[in-house]
mmCIF file of all heavy atoms in Angstrom:
data_model
loop_
_atom_site.group_PDB
_atom_site.id
_atom_site.type_symbol
_atom_site.label_atom_id
_atom_site.label_comp_id
_atom_site.label_asym_id
_atom_site.label_seq_id
_atom_site.Cartn_x
_atom_site.Cartn_y
_atom_site.Cartn_z
ATOM 1 N N ALA A 229 -4.083 -20.788 11.325
ATOM 2 C CA ALA A 229 -4.155 -21.743 10.176
ATOM 3 C C ALA A 229 -3.836 -23.145 10.691
ATOM 4 O O ALA A 229 -2.933 -23.378 11.476
ATOM 5 C CB ALA A 229 -3.084 -21.360 9.056
ATOM 6 N N LEU A 230 -4.682 -24.046 10.232
ATOM 7 C CA LEU A 230 -4.507 -25.446 10.513
ATOM 8 C C LEU A 230 -4.137 -26.169 9.153
ATOM 9 O O LEU A 230 -4.901 -26.103 8.266
ATOM 10 C CB LEU A 230 -5.737 -26.180 11.109
ATOM 11 C CG LEU A 230 -6.369 -25.569 12.293
ATOM 12 C CD1 LEU A 230 -7.614 -26.343 12.768
ATOM 13 C CD2 LEU A 230 -5.381 -25.510 13.485
ATOM 14 N N TYR A 231 -2.957 -26.689 9.090
ATOM 15 C CA TYR A 231 -2.504 -27.266 7.831
ATOM 16 C C TYR A 231 -1.898 -28.649 8.074
ATOM 17 O O TYR A 231 -0.880 -28.768 8.708
ATOM 18 C CB TYR A 231 -1.462 -26.312 7.108
ATOM 19 C CG TYR A 231 -1.073 -26.899 5.807
ATOM 20 C CD1 TYR A 231 -2.022 -26.854 4.698
ATOM 21 C CD2 TYR A 231 0.166 -27.379 5.589
ATOM 22 C CE1 TYR A 231 -1.666 -27.428 3.511
ATOM 23 C CE2 TYR A 231 0.541 -27.843 4.292
ATOM 24 C CZ TYR A 231 -0.386 -27.926 3.276
ATOM 25 O OH TYR A 231 -0.046 -28.403 2.121
ATOM 26 N N ASP A 232 -2.575 -29.613 7.561
ATOM 27 C CA ASP A 232 -2.093 -31.030 7.567
ATOM 28 C C ASP A 232 -1.626 -31.374 9.031
ATOM 29 O O ASP A 232 -0.567 -31.996 9.215
ATOM 30 C CB ASP A 232 -0.854 -31.073 6.614
ATOM 31 C CG ASP A 232 -0.802 -32.484 6.011
ATOM 32 O OD1 ASP A 232 -1.634 -33.306 6.313
ATOM 33 O OD2 ASP A 232 0.158 -32.744 5.296
ATOM 34 N N GLY A 233 -2.409 -30.966 10.025
ATOM 35 C CA GLY A 233 -2.103 -31.426 11.368
ATOM 36 C C GLY A 233 -1.348 -30.366 12.217
ATOM 37 O O GLY A 233 -1.195 -30.419 13.391
ATOM 38 N N ILE A 234 -0.804 -29.280 11.452
ATOM 39 C CA ILE A 234 -0.012 -28.305 12.144
ATOM 40 C C ILE A 234 -0.880 -27.089 12.457
ATOM 41 O O ILE A 234 -1.534 -26.524 11.579
ATOM 42 C CB ILE A 234 1.218 -27.775 11.276
ATOM 43 C CG1 ILE A 234 1.915 -28.975 10.654
ATOM 44 C CG2 ILE A 234 2.075 -26.881 12.077
ATOM 45 C CD1 ILE A 234 2.895 -29.624 11.587
ATOM 46 N N ALA A 235 -0.944 -26.629 13.702
ATOM 47 C CA ALA A 235 -1.605 -25.373 14.089
ATOM 48 C C ALA A 235 -0.668 -24.277 14.029
ATOM 49 O O ALA A 235 0.290 -24.249 14.833
ATOM 50 C CB ALA A 235 -2.323 -25.562 15.355
ATOM 51 N N VAL A 236 -0.839 -23.286 13.234
ATOM 52 C CA VAL A 236 0.074 -22.153 13.042
ATOM 53 C C VAL A 236 -0.452 -20.895 13.688
ATOM 54 O O VAL A 236 -1.589 -20.459 13.388
ATOM 55 C CB VAL A 236 0.434 -21.904 11.620
ATOM 56 C CG1 VAL A 236 1.545 -20.858 11.439
ATOM 57 C CG2 VAL A 236 0.901 -23.175 10.917
ATOM 58 N N ASN A 257 -7.655 -32.728 14.141
ATOM 59 C CA ASN A 257 -6.549 -33.589 14.513
ATOM 60 C C ASN A 257 -5.229 -32.822 14.523
ATOM 61 O O ASN A 257 -4.635 -32.720 13.447
ATOM 62 C CB ASN A 257 -6.543 -34.840 13.658
ATOM 63 C CG ASN A 257 -5.469 -35.813 14.053
ATOM 64 O OD1 ASN A 257 -4.915 -35.638 15.158
ATOM 65 N ND2 ASN A 257 -5.101 -36.763 13.226
ATOM 66 N N ILE A 258 -4.914 -32.188 15.660
ATOM 67 C CA ILE A 258 -3.685 -31.338 15.681
ATOM 68 C C ILE A 258 -2.548 -32.180 16.102
ATOM 69 O O ILE A 258 -2.711 -32.886 17.183
ATOM 70 C CB ILE A 258 -3.852 -30.134 16.605
ATOM 71 C CG1 ILE A 258 -4.922 -29.200 16.019
ATOM 72 C CG2 ILE A 258 -2.563 -29.337 16.802
ATOM 73 C CD1 ILE A 258 -5.324 -28.020 16.932
ATOM 74 N N THR A 259 -1.385 -32.118 15.472
ATOM 75 C CA THR A 259 -0.264 -32.985 15.848
ATOM 76 C C THR A 259 0.911 -32.052 16.355
ATOM 77 O O THR A 259 1.786 -32.548 17.060
ATOM 78 C CB THR A 259 0.323 -33.754 14.678
ATOM 79 O OG1 THR A 259 0.642 -32.911 13.561
ATOM 80 C CG2 THR A 259 -0.690 -34.792 14.244
ATOM 81 N N LYS A 260 0.925 -30.778 15.927
ATOM 82 C CA LYS A 260 1.949 -29.841 16.408
ATOM 83 C C LYS A 260 1.492 -28.376 16.454
ATOM 84 O O LYS A 260 0.532 -28.088 15.669
ATOM 85 C CB LYS A 260 3.179 -29.930 15.470
ATOM 86 C CG LYS A 260 3.942 -31.208 15.470
ATOM 87 C CD LYS A 260 5.081 -31.182 14.455
ATOM 88 C CE LYS A 260 5.843 -32.473 14.427
ATOM 89 N NZ LYS A 260 5.144 -33.577 13.727
ATOM 90 N N VAL A 261 2.013 -27.611 17.275
ATOM 91 C CA VAL A 261 1.744 -26.148 17.363
ATOM 92 C C VAL A 261 3.044 -25.382 17.004
ATOM 93 O O VAL A 261 4.097 -25.725 17.465
ATOM 94 C CB VAL A 261 1.193 -25.776 18.706
ATOM 95 C CG1 VAL A 261 0.911 -24.332 18.828
ATOM 96 C CG2 VAL A 261 -0.042 -26.547 19.117
ATOM 97 N N VAL A 262 2.862 -24.475 16.074
ATOM 98 C CA VAL A 262 4.035 -23.653 15.635
ATOM 99 C C VAL A 262 3.722 -22.197 15.669
ATOM 100 O O VAL A 262 2.530 -21.737 15.460
ATOM 101 C CB VAL A 262 4.417 -24.049 14.151
ATOM 102 C CG1 VAL A 262 5.727 -23.369 13.760
ATOM 103 C CG2 VAL A 262 4.613 -25.528 14.036
ATOM 104 N N LEU A 326 9.724 -29.778 9.158
ATOM 105 C CA LEU A 326 8.788 -30.139 10.193
ATOM 106 C C LEU A 326 7.761 -31.213 9.602
ATOM 107 O O LEU A 326 7.205 -30.968 8.563
ATOM 108 C CB LEU A 326 8.011 -28.941 10.615
ATOM 109 C CG LEU A 326 7.104 -29.026 11.910
ATOM 110 C CD1 LEU A 326 7.983 -29.287 13.131
ATOM 111 C CD2 LEU A 326 6.241 -27.801 12.055
ATOM 112 N N ASP A 327 7.700 -32.339 10.265
ATOM 113 C CA ASP A 327 6.792 -33.408 9.651
ATOM 114 C C ASP A 327 5.386 -33.114 9.846
ATOM 115 O O ASP A 327 4.943 -32.655 10.920
ATOM 116 C CB ASP A 327 7.133 -34.797 10.321
ATOM 117 C CG ASP A 327 8.501 -35.333 9.904
ATOM 118 O OD1 ASP A 327 8.986 -34.958 8.736
ATOM 119 O OD2 ASP A 327 9.093 -36.066 10.689
ATOM 120 N N THR A 328 4.614 -33.282 8.778
ATOM 121 C CA THR A 328 3.164 -33.086 8.925
ATOM 122 C C THR A 328 2.561 -34.443 8.849
ATOM 123 O O THR A 328 3.196 -35.472 8.860
ATOM 124 C CB THR A 328 2.606 -32.245 7.702
ATOM 125 O OG1 THR A 328 2.908 -32.933 6.500
ATOM 126 C CG2 THR A 328 3.275 -30.855 7.636
ATOM 127 N N GLN A 329 1.122 -34.494 8.704
ATOM 128 C CA GLN A 329 0.527 -35.895 8.723
ATOM 129 C C GLN A 329 0.918 -36.632 7.372
ATOM 130 O O GLN A 329 1.140 -37.807 7.437
ATOM 131 C CB GLN A 329 -1.012 -35.661 8.798
ATOM 132 C CG GLN A 329 -1.441 -35.519 10.201
ATOM 133 C CD GLN A 329 -2.875 -35.105 10.261
ATOM 134 O OE1 GLN A 329 -3.472 -34.406 9.375
ATOM 135 N NE2 GLN A 329 -3.542 -35.517 11.370
ATOM 136 N N LEU A 333 7.072 -30.027 5.988
ATOM 137 C CA LEU A 333 7.141 -28.550 5.592
ATOM 138 C C LEU A 333 8.582 -28.116 5.737
ATOM 139 O O LEU A 333 9.311 -28.566 6.648
ATOM 140 C CB LEU A 333 6.268 -27.758 6.564
ATOM 141 C CG LEU A 333 4.769 -27.989 6.524
ATOM 142 C CD1 LEU A 333 4.089 -27.122 7.600
ATOM 143 C CD2 LEU A 333 4.202 -27.662 5.197
ATOM 144 N N LEU A 348 6.581 -21.339 6.585
ATOM 145 C CA LEU A 348 6.417 -22.784 6.324
ATOM 146 C C LEU A 348 6.024 -23.007 4.943
ATOM 147 O O LEU A 348 5.143 -22.445 4.448
ATOM 148 C CB LEU A 348 5.391 -23.414 7.315
ATOM 149 C CG LEU A 348 5.701 -23.100 8.866
ATOM 150 C CD1 LEU A 348 4.651 -22.171 9.404
ATOM 151 C CD2 LEU A 348 5.744 -24.338 9.609
#
Side-chain angles (χ1 to χ4, degrees):
L230 305 179
Y231 183 69
D232 210 4
I234 312 277
V236 186
N257 183 13
I258 295 174
T259 56
K260 291 178 180 78
V261 178
V262 184
L326 191 68
D327 290 333
T328 61
Q329 279 173 328
L333 297 175
L348 303 110

